[in-house]
Amino acid sequence: MANIKSAKKRILVNETKALRNKAIKSKVKTVIKKVDAAVAASDKELAKASLITAISEIDKATSKGVYHKNTASRKVSRLSKAVNSIA
């Protein structure tokens, strides 16, 4: 256990940030699953609506520093490709 006051504070701050990041990542995963489910069901309208929500959440996570911009771009690209593949 840390003895120095600043080290104790860093531990507390890091725990807080980890919980925040975990919540944001969980939300992104949930919206991605909704898009994937709509694609699997071949529901084009629902997939497009879910895609817009997913892109928004991914962009928010990126702006907060949870995801690197290239990671976010990759996720958006893969989701868009999946939605566009629906005939």
Side-chain angles (χ1 to χ4, degrees), residues 37-58:
V39 169
S42 297
D43 188 348
K44 196 164 183 78
E45 295 305 314
L46 180 61
K48 283 186 176 183
S50 300
L51 178 65
I52 292 168
T53 307
I55 291 172
S56 174
E57 287 298 327
I58 292 169

Side-chain angles (χ1 to χ4, degrees), residues 3 5 7 12 15 21-22 24 27 31 33 37 46 48-49 51 55-58 61 65-66 73 81 83 86:
N3 292 324
K5 187 176 180 181
L12 293 175
E15 284 177 5
N21 290 347
K22 189 174 182 181
I24 293 169
K27 196 170 194 178
V31 294
K33 284 178 190 172
L46 180 61
K48 283 186 176 183
L51 178 65
I55 291 172
S56 174
E57 287 298 327
I58 292 169
V66 177
S73 179
K81 185 178 178 184
V83 171
I86 299 174

